[in-house]
Amino acid sequence: MESNIALRAERIVKYFYEPEKFQVLKGLSFEVEKGEFLTLTGKSGSGKSTLLYVLSTMDTDYEGRLELNGETLTGRTQNQLAAFRNEHIGFVFQFHYLLPDFTVLDNVMLPALKINKKSRAEIEAKAYQNLQLLGLEAQARKLASRLSGGQQQRVAIARALINDPAVIMGDEPTGNLDSKNTQNVFDIFRELAHERGQTIIAVTHDEDFARNSDRVIDMSDGLIV
Amino acid sequence: MQTTNFSIARVHLTTNLRQTVVALLGVVFGISMYIFMNSFMAGVNDTQTALAFTSLAHVRIYNDGPADGTNLVSRAYPAATIAHIRNPRVLPYATGIGKAAALQALVRAQPEVVAVTPQVNLNVFFRNGSTQLNGTLSGVDIANENKLFGISKYMTAGTWARLRYRPDGIILGTDLAHDLGVQVGDNINILTSDGISRRYTLLGLFQTNVKQVDKGKAYLNINAARQLLAQHPQYVTDLQVNVRHYEQTAPLVQRIAPVIPYKVESWQLANQQLEAGAQLRNIIALAVSLTILLVAGFGIYNIMNMTINERIREIAILKAMGFSGGDVTQIFVTQALVIGLVGGLLGMGVGYGVARIVNVIPFNIAGLQTLPMTYYPRNYLLAFGFGVLTTLIAGYLPARKAAKIDPVAILRG
Ligand SMILES: Nc1ncnc2c1ncn2[C@@H]1O[C@H](COP(=O)(O)OP(=O)(O)OP(=O)(O)O)[C@@H](O)[C@H]1O
Ligand SMILES: [Mg+2]
């Protein structure tokens, strides 16, 4: 049972202090199983992005306890967390952040080059494969800054998958995509979860997307409804 | 991992080529100016030294007369003794250096000594008709004198060697000869302080470009000078000594001064203004060149800061993907280092070029034809070292700041 849990959040509380003290997350607790495709919904401003930053280990300024793959991550140093993220977490931002001066291929390869566990050729092959999956193989040699918003978002997804992370988190990963591409991304996520046992946590405003996922967590004012 | 950081640094440097070039130019300017300033100052110092040593030996040994004898009573009686002394006088004492030949052999045997020459120096009046000028007359050992001071190089008329076989010959500074209105072959009358007067034939003229020397010095064969003073054939007033490295006179002075009953004086002590001038020029050169490097350093610091501010989102993305603070520091320090190394190499080339150009600018004073310049590898290496160090520091400070960026704060917007 224990080994089947990919992510465990216990009483997560988060405050913002600017412009005044304000509780965004009000003691959230939940578990996500390995191979589960979870979506987070809720109206704008309910705290979804804030929660995802905490879950992704990037934000360490919170109360409560966070556990991923059976490892407690609360209280670790920034550099330890960076190494952990590199290996175990793939992240797609709400605003598709790529490195503009690098090619699409380089952007996708970078997390794998950083972890340095495979040869360059293997990494490049894998990056091509991911781009193909998202219909971007023709753009591989272009500079990332020359792509359209939707294309950039798909590159970000391809990048998030490169290290075969245990958990893939996406903050509205299909926010800029047309219905055909949204469906494609949905299929990819479901396949990763069900065939390969990778855990997906995606924030979405797309009701169809949410309804078709394994489980939906609906948030309102920093609480799970 | 490291190669990944390097390739990120490379992309940063090549995409912002204009900034890279500006930073590079700053380093090139700083390093080339450092090289130029120091090479030029060293050239000035070397010229000054060469001029000074045309008439100045590195160490001079001479008899500086009896010690202070105004109150001899105090040496024999308690301090409280009241002494009343009137019109004290020094009775004749031995002038010059006794046993000069043995002393010369002793000094010559010292490892750092390259040449020693004995001199008989006296103050005289040079007279031609009613013109009467005072100056120094040096009775010299022709061959050794030339070894120390290279005086034959400065001859403008006649030859130095002729003095050896002409006890009636004299060689004058050009200005002195001009002031006396004499030419080679003419006769000059010499009057000593003891009232002895003798006539010599002008054999040649020299010009060292040190005015004081050219206007007030004459050379005689040492034996002729002894005769003029009616002294014995071993009589010597000064022993002039040259050592291998002119800066390093202290060890020799410390070694021989205690065993010689005469004054042993280094050129630094006798001419502190020369030493002070050289040191001050070195300090100015160092201060100016370090200031230039510092300004170049500030330039790089600014540009690195700008780059990091422009790329703050990229840094946040890199950290979100798992790059550590150390990786970020490495990425930006690498950029600074590349700028420092490339700028350093170019700067050495440009510095050499500037030195070459300044070295041909005409400058016709004191026997120079062009501005003096040196090409010491030491200056180039120091400039390169300081330059790279400056860029490293200027790059490290903003890079450390970049390493501390909190990715969430940036990415949340
Ligand atoms: N840096 C911040 N400082 C202060 N308050 C913030 C900050 N970031 C977000 N907030 C506030 O926290 C609340 C939750 O924001 P969050 O971005 O998590 O919402 P969200 O659910 O992701 O909304 P959306 O669906 O529009 O993306 C909002 O009220 C927002 O104003
Ligand atoms: Mg959001």
Side-chain angles (χ1 to χ4, degrees):
Chain A
M1 177 68 200
E2 183 68 19
S3 62
N4 210 26
I5 300 298
L7 182 148
R8 173 179 286 142
E10 287 176 8
R11 296 182 303 282
I12 303 290
V13 174
K14 162 92 191 161
Y15 292 96
F16 279 125
Y17 299 95
E18 298 285 328
E20 65 213 53
K21 191 168 174 181
F22 161 60
Q23 195 177 28
V24 206
L25 303 178
K26 302 175 176 167
L28 290 163
S29 297
F30 61 92
E31 286 174 357
V32 187
E33 281 176 24
K34 283 186 179 159
E36 189 175 4
F37 181 2
L38 176 83
T39 47
L40 271 174
T41 59
K43 65 176 197 307
S44 182
S46 54
K48 305 182 296 294
S49 295
T50 308
L51 175 63
L52 217 54
Y53 281 124
V54 171
L55 298 183
S56 72
T57 76
M58 273 189 267
D59 191 349
T60 51
D61 182 20
Y62 62 89
E63 292 163 22
R65 205 174 80 85
L66 177 67
E67 192 184 302
L68 257 108
N69 275 357
E71 292 185 50
T72 300
L73 297 176
T74 309
R76 290 207 186 173
T77 68
Q78 287 292 351
N79 281 345
Q80 286 171 336
L81 291 173
F84 186 89
R85 278 201 294 279
N86 190 211
E87 191 164 0
H88 300 292
I89 301 176
F91 201 92
V92 186
F93 304 99
Q94 184 164 11
F95 311 99
H96 32 77
Y97 287 127
L98 300 178
L99 304 181
D101 298 325
F102 290 75
T103 64
V104 165
L105 192 65
D106 283 339
N107 264 284
V108 176
M109 288 167 68
L110 219 46
L113 292 173
K114 161 71 191 155
I115 204 168
N116 201 16
K117 280 194 176 160
K118 291 185 193 162
S119 76
R120 206 185 158 84
E122 280 177 282
I123 293 170
E124 195 169 323
K126 168 94 174 152
Y128 252 116
Q129 200 185 321
N130 284 0
L131 286 173
Q132 219 157 14
L133 209 59
L134 288 146
L136 287 167
E137 66 274 20
Q139 321 292 332
R141 299 282 170 196
K142 277 194 191 171
L143 280 185
S145 54
R146 300 276 156 80
L147 263 54
S148 75
Q151 287 173 324
Q152 291 190 25
Q153 188 149 40
R154 281 180 285 153
V155 175
I157 295 170
R159 183 178 63 187
L161 305 182
I162 191 77
N163 281 340
D164 293 320
V167 184
I168 297 160
M169 300 185 192
D171 195 349
E172 300 184 36
T174 59
N176 286 286
L177 301 185
D178 57 40
S179 57
K180 182 168 152 279
N181 273 307
T182 303
Q183 188 56 46
N184 185 27
V185 169
F186 183 89
D187 291 342
I188 292 168
F189 280 178
R190 199 175 50 188
E191 188 192 319
L192 290 176
H194 297 169
E195 314 283 313
R196 303 208 205 162
Q198 286 171 273
T199 307
I200 313 281
I201 303 173
V203 170
T204 186
H205 286 291
D206 183 333
E207 284 177 22
D208 285 339
F209 193 98
R211 197 174 336 107
N212 290 324
S213 68
D214 296 344
R215 179 156 67 113
V216 181
I217 290 182
D218 192 23
M219 282 182 65
S220 175
D221 283 335
L223 285 169
I224 296 175
V225 193
Chain B
M1 179 204 99
Q2 293 214 326
T3 51
T4 311
N5 291 348
F6 288 150
S7 49
I8 293 173
R10 199 191 59 226
V11 170
H12 284 180
L13 282 174
T14 49
T15 44
N16 260 349
L17 212 55
R18 222 175 59 89
Q19 275 183 10
T20 308
V21 168
V22 171
L24 214 56
L25 286 179
V27 180
V28 170
F29 179 73
I31 288 179
S32 57
M33 282 303 115
Y34 182 101
I35 288 170
F36 163 65
M37 284 294 297
N38 285 285
S39 299
F40 184 50
M41 284 305 175
V44 172
N45 284 346
D46 287 1
T47 308
Q48 191 79 26
T49 308
L51 276 177
F53 287 139
T54 54
S55 58
L56 184 68
H58 302 167
V59 176
R60 175 179 167 225
I61 300 169
Y62 64 101
N63 184 344
D64 65 347
D68 174 27
T70 46
N71 186 0
L72 295 171
V73 177
S74 66
R75 290 195 200 160
Y77 295 94
T81 311
I82 295 169
H84 189 68
I85 302 166
R86 273 194 181 175
N87 291 331
R89 272 190 201 91
V90 176
L91 292 172
Y93 67 99
T95 59
I97 294 170
K99 298 200 186 87
L103 193 57
Q104 187 177 344
L106 168 79
V107 174
R108 190 69 192 81
Q110 303 303 314
E112 63 267 67
V113 171
V114 292
V116 185
T117 189
Q119 290 179 340
V120 172
N121 289 319
L122 57 155
N123 289 322
V124 296
F125 283 106
F126 299 97
R127 298 193 300 189
N128 180 32
S130 62
T131 321
Q132 178 162 324
L133 300 166
N134 70 337
T136 352
L137 185 60
S138 243
V140 297
D141 175 326
I142 310 304
N144 273 327
E145 182 79 9
N146 196 38
K147 226 189 211 168
L148 258 85
F149 303 111
I151 193 77
S152 63
K153 283 203 303 280
Y154 300 101
M155 297 296 292
T156 58
T159 56
W160 175 252
R162 279 185 72 198
L163 205 52
R164 183 193 294 246
Y165 308 108
R166 292 286 299 266
D168 65 326
I170 190 168
I171 290 178
L172 256 58
T174 43
D175 296 312
L176 182 58
H178 178 260
D179 292 350
L180 285 169
V182 291
Q183 291 175 343
V184 174
D186 292 352
N187 289 333
I188 303 142
N189 194 271
I190 300 292
L191 178 65
T192 71
S193 58
D194 293 340
I196 297 164
S197 159
R198 198 164 285 181
R199 222 179 51 184
Y200 294 93
T201 307
L202 183 57
L203 295 181
L205 303 173
F206 65 84
Q207 185 175 8
T208 62
N209 290 308
V210 179
K211 274 288 165 205
Q212 199 190 336
V213 174
D214 296 345
K215 259 178 109 76
K217 190 158 184 180
Y219 291 103
L220 223 59
N221 191 307
I222 192 164
N223 290 319
R226 286 166 181 152
Q227 279 173 21
L228 180 63
L229 288 172
Q231 284 285 0
H232 58 88
Q234 266 79 47
Y235 183 71
V236 168
T237 61
D238 297 79
L239 273 180
Q240 305 280 12
V241 184
N242 266 11
V243 293
R244 195 160 289 113
H245 302 291
Y246 67 86
E247 302 97 335
Q248 293 159 20
T249 52
L252 177 71
V253 172
Q254 276 160 18
R255 200 165 338 114
I256 62 173
V259 299
I260 293 179
Y262 302 106
K263 179 93 175 163
V264 181
E265 192 178 69
S266 66
W267 70 273
Q268 288 102 327
L269 202 69
N271 292 273
Q272 289 186 325
Q273 79 282 1
L274 281 181
E275 178 74 354
Q279 295 275 345
L280 286 174
R281 275 191 295 274
N282 282 339
I283 291 171
I284 292 170
L286 195 69
V288 171
S289 43
L290 284 182
T291 308
I292 295 169
L293 275 185
L294 200 69
V295 171
F298 267 113
I300 295 164
Y301 177 83
N302 260 332
I303 288 171
M304 289 304 290
N305 246 334
M306 234 161 77
T307 309
I308 284 167
N309 282 337
E310 277 170 15
R311 298 192 181 273
I312 199 154
R313 272 187 171 197
E314 282 186 51
I315 295 165
I317 295 166
L318 287 173
K319 293 189 92 178
M321 291 192 311
F323 284 73
S324 66
D327 290 325
V328 174
T329 309
Q330 197 179 44
I331 287 168
F332 289 98
V333 168
T334 303
Q335 295 179 42
L337 193 62
V338 167
I339 289 171
L341 290 175
V342 174
L345 288 176
L346 290 176
M348 289 202 288
V350 172
Y352 178 74
V354 172
R356 259 350 246 272
I357 290 168
V358 172
N359 200 187
V360 299
I361 294 175
F363 186 79
N364 289 308
I365 301 175
L368 294 175
Q369 274 88 50
T370 61
L371 288 174
M373 191 61 65
T374 55
Y375 300 94
Y376 298 139
R378 189 173 144 267
N379 280 332
Y380 288 73
L381 293 179
L382 270 180
F384 186 77
F386 276 134
V388 173
L389 190 71
T390 311
T391 37
L392 262 186
I393 294 170
Y396 178 72
L397 295 177
R400 204 183 46 171
K401 201 185 73 181
K404 287 186 186 145
I405 283 173
D406 175 14
V408 208
I410 307 296
L411 295 178
R412 202 166 8 224

